[in-house]
Amino acid sequence: MTIQRNSDGYRLSVEESVIAIRGGSQSALGPLLGYYRDYLLQIANDRLRCDVSVKFAASDLVQETLGHAVKGFGQFRGTSEEQFRAWLKAILLNQVEDVNRRFLKAEKRNINFEVSI
């Protein structure tokens, strides 16, 4: 699977992109994360509770996930595509759980008290 082309025009795999990023190529990170945007969005749409999704969009969760991935890329210790995908998914699932908990358990934002117009 190829993500982007390097400066010589060769296509980079996920593994090669990770190596390039670790080697200091910050330009490789954006395309790599962008490649997983639709995958993450599908998971977010599946996991975000319907009653919460009216308050918080799945695309916002994906954006936050990608932001966390940019900031925390140094913590990623894997080398394979499967490991990178699992790492992103774990970040996203933590985001989803936090949002679900925040909107369902917070007294001032208790969705159960809201009335539809």
Side-chain angles (χ1 to χ4, degrees):
M1 172 175 329
T2 59
I3 304 303
Q4 66 181 0
R5 294 183 184 273
N6 67 9
S7 59
D8 298 327
Y10 294 106
R11 293 179 181 208
L12 297 178
S13 67
V14 172
E15 292 84 358
E16 292 167 329
S17 294
V18 168
I19 291 168
I21 296 163
R22 286 186 176 144
S25 174
Q26 292 302 313
S27 63
L29 186 55
L32 178 60
L33 293 175
Y35 179 79
Y36 288 99
R37 185 179 299 276
D38 290 340
Y39 166 74
L40 295 172
L41 187 57
Q42 181 179 6
I43 294 170
N45 280 320
D46 289 344
R47 298 290 179 99
L48 190 62
R49 291 178 48 119
C50 292
D51 49 353
V52 174
S53 66
V54 298
K55 295 283 190 180
F56 204 93
S59 60
D60 293 336
L61 286 171
V62 170
Q63 193 64 32
E64 285 186 19
T65 298
L66 297 177
H68 284 286
V70 168
K71 290 177 188 172
F73 185 81
Q75 298 172 357
F76 175 64
R77 299 291 177 231
T79 56
S80 72
E81 178 184 351
E82 293 79 18
Q83 292 168 328
F84 188 73
R85 189 174 49 240
W87 180 68
L88 288 175
K89 183 178 179 182
I91 295 171
L92 174 67
L93 292 178
N94 284 332
Q95 295 294 320
V96 170
E97 189 172 318
D98 286 348
V99 167
N100 282 337
R101 186 176 337 128
R102 186 174 3 146
F103 280 99
L104 293 176
K105 296 192 179 180
E107 286 297 320
K108 60 185 171 187
R109 288 191 172 178
N110 191 333
I111 294 171
N112 296 323
F113 295 127
E114 294 185 11
V115 179
S116 174
I117 19 182

